[in-house]
Amino acid sequence: GWCMENFWQLSSSNNHVDVVSWDYSMNEAGGIPQGLEAYLRQIYAQSHNIDNNNIPLLVVKDTHMAKERRDLLQQYAADGGGMTRDTIVIHVDPAIRPFVSRKEQDRPKGFQEWRKFGAPPDAPGQSAHHPALAEHKLLGWMLTMHFLAALE
């Protein structure tokens, strides 16, 4: 469901959301944009109901092949109207390929144990389409560098 107020743990004393994210691999396969568009519209509607028109930053983890979703985000940004603000689209697949295709011992440190999860072995969610620990670290580093560049 679309229970963002509960998901975001909003209350009358805490009614501000700064950042939300979308990971295509958790929500929709391929390049179809309909799920993301529904999410965008719900963020917009909830933001207007909750926090006096404060649209949160949207971070989208996507595949480099999802042209339709990128086009959708560009269309919303170009149309104005406040539907999106400072959307960041991030993907790593083409960039990591030369490193993770090497033998484990030949990989740079940040690419070793690329598919090792940080959770206990029997924990749910450890499937091929979920990012493992090293990818989460890389995504966090990339976002950090983005924000640091903006602060300079």
Side-chain angles (χ1 to χ4, degrees), residues 3-66:
C3 303
M4 289 190 180
E5 288 186 45
N6 293 325
F7 181 74
W8 290 340
Q9 299 179 347
L10 299 174
S11 65
S12 58
S13 62
N14 175 28
N15 65 353
H16 185 78
V17 176
D18 293 311
V19 179
V20 294
S21 64
W22 176 267
D23 181 344
Y24 83 97
S25 68
M26 307 289 187
N27 299 291
E28 57 192 351
I32 60 171
Q34 290 86 354
L36 177 58
E37 184 166 21
Y39 189 63
L40 283 171
R41 291 173 181 259
Q42 191 62 29
I43 291 168
Y44 182 77
Q46 289 287 347
S47 297
H48 278 69
N49 290 335
I50 296 168
D51 194 14
N52 195 22
N53 302 329
N54 179 52
I55 305 296
L57 169 75
L58 175 63
V59 178
V60 177
K61 181 187 180 292
D62 212 337
T63 172
H64 65 286
M65 299 176 290

Side-chain angles (χ1 to χ4, degrees), residues 30-129:
I32 60 171
Q34 290 86 354
L36 177 58
E37 184 166 21
Y39 189 63
L40 283 171
R41 291 173 181 259
Q42 191 62 29
I43 291 168
Y44 182 77
Q46 289 287 347
S47 297
H48 278 69
N49 290 335
I50 296 168
D51 194 14
N52 195 22
N53 302 329
N54 179 52
I55 305 296
L57 169 75
L58 175 63
V59 178
V60 177
K61 181 187 180 292
D62 212 337
T63 172
H64 65 286
M65 299 176 290
K67 183 177 179 337
E68 288 184 51
R69 281 194 293 268
R70 280 195 314 277
D71 290 347
L72 173 76
L73 292 169
Q74 288 175 342
Q75 177 187 349
Y76 273 108
D79 288 348
M83 285 288 280
T84 61
R85 187 195 77 189
D86 300 330
T87 300
I88 299 170
V89 178
I90 190 168
H91 54 80
V92 298
D93 296 340
I96 65 166
R97 205 167 291 128
F99 302 106
V100 299
S101 64
R102 298 178 185 179
K103 292 179 183 176
E104 184 70 28
Q105 68 270 16
D106 296 333
R107 294 179 186 175
K109 184 176 180 181
F111 295 95
Q112 293 174 358
E113 298 183 325
W114 186 254
R115 293 300 309 154
K116 182 178 178 183
F117 287 88
D122 294 334
Q126 299 185 40
S127 58
H129 65 276

